[in-house]
Amino acid sequence: MAELNQMTTLLQLEAYVIKFAELSHIDWCCFVVHSNHTVFMGSVPEPVKQRLTAATLKQLNLHCCKPCWSDSDDLLKTTLPQASLLIPVVASRPDYGCLILGFSASVIEPKLAEKLGWFWQVIAMYLYDTYRRLNGSDKVRHSQLTPREIECVYWAAQGKTSWEISRILSITERTVNFHLSNSMQKTGSSNRQQLIHNCMNIL
């Protein structure tokens, strides 16, 4: 984890992912993120890369809420090769991501692979956080939010309710909620806490 925190380029991150394929029981490893476009890091078989379209990646993330073995259901069977493990990333909307590990079929049992998946899920989250940091996608620019939206987010970060913010800014509570809702949509946030976190660099 310390190594990920010290990275300064996406090339370093990709080299880190490629190293996983050097482990004795892993044949290939791929970290995939889709935001505006799909980014593949690591080694991935070409047929898998072709099947992992943005729509498929979204479907996999919505379908799998935990590490899943490739033979566990029909969707995974049609998308992934045999003896592979999909670790979904709980990403900030509208991103979708996953870490996929390809195993030698004779080396690992599916149940053991899924148990190991919980360890890899932690790694996957660190990979995603590092990707967002290095890609700059976790930074919100001033131009994305209006001055009034920034004011509303600022007061929400101070722990104020929508009603309290409406009194402070002399606007209606409905207008406050409208500005906060717009801000969440612009920053890909699913709730106020995530909105505040995503806007920390401009507050």
Side-chain angles (χ1 to χ4, degrees):
M1 302 313 117
E3 189 177 344
L4 287 171
N5 289 332
Q6 292 170 2
M7 287 181 185
T8 56
T9 68
L10 289 172
L11 285 175
Q12 290 174 320
L13 181 61
E14 181 157 25
Y16 183 83
V17 173
I18 289 170
K19 283 182 188 175
F20 295 146
E22 297 171 6
L23 297 173
S24 60
H25 56 291
I26 297 176
D27 286 344
W28 56 273
C29 175
C30 177
F31 178 63
V32 191
V33 179
H34 178 82
S35 187
N36 296 324
H37 61 283
T38 305
V39 175
F40 292 89
M41 293 187 168
S43 56
V44 55
E46 193 58 36
V48 178
K49 193 172 185 177
Q50 290 173 1
R51 286 194 293 265
L52 282 175
T53 62
T56 304
L57 192 59
K58 178 178 180 179
Q59 190 178 9
L60 285 171
N61 267 60
L62 295 173
H63 182 72
C64 303
C65 58
K66 60 176 185 156
C68 296
W69 189 248
S70 54
D71 293 334
S72 61
D73 70 24
D74 291 338
L75 176 60
L76 291 169
K77 282 179 187 176
T78 57
T79 309
L80 302 177
Q82 286 186 328
S84 54
L85 182 67
L86 175 103
I87 300 103
V89 172
V90 181
S92 300
R93 291 186 305 168
D95 292 4
Y96 297 97
C98 61
L99 179 65
I100 309 171
L101 303 170
F103 295 89
S104 301
S106 59
V107 171
I108 193 162
E109 291 291 324
K111 286 184 180 179
L112 175 60
E114 286 185 336
K115 284 183 181 178
L116 289 173
W118 294 106
F119 161 78
W120 286 105
Q121 195 160 37
V122 174
I123 299 291
M125 279 310 303
Y126 275 94
L127 289 173
Y128 174 69
D129 288 344
T130 304
Y131 172 80
R132 281 182 59 86
R133 175 175 59 83
L134 296 177
N135 196 42
S137 55
D138 60 342
K139 294 180 180 177
V140 177
R141 300 181 187 278
H142 274 80
S143 59
Q144 282 186 289
L145 302 183
T146 66
R148 186 59 101 186
E149 287 168 349
I150 292 172
E151 283 182 315
C152 290
V153 175
Y154 170 80
W155 287 112
Q158 304 307 309
K160 303 296 183 185
T161 65
S162 294
W163 182 84
E164 290 172 323
I165 297 170
S166 72
R167 300 299 95 194
I168 293 168
L169 300 179
S170 300
I171 56 179
T172 67
E173 186 176 354
R174 184 177 178 181
T175 302
V176 171
N177 288 331
F178 172 78
H179 288 313
L180 291 174
S181 178
N182 276 352
S183 301
M184 282 190 268
Q185 189 172 13
K186 289 179 181 180
T187 59
S189 306
S190 56
N191 54 47
R192 284 196 187 197
Q193 288 74 26
Q194 190 176 23
L195 171 64
I196 291 163
H197 172 77
N198 289 340
C199 294
M200 287 306 292
N201 68 306
I202 64 170
L203 297 180

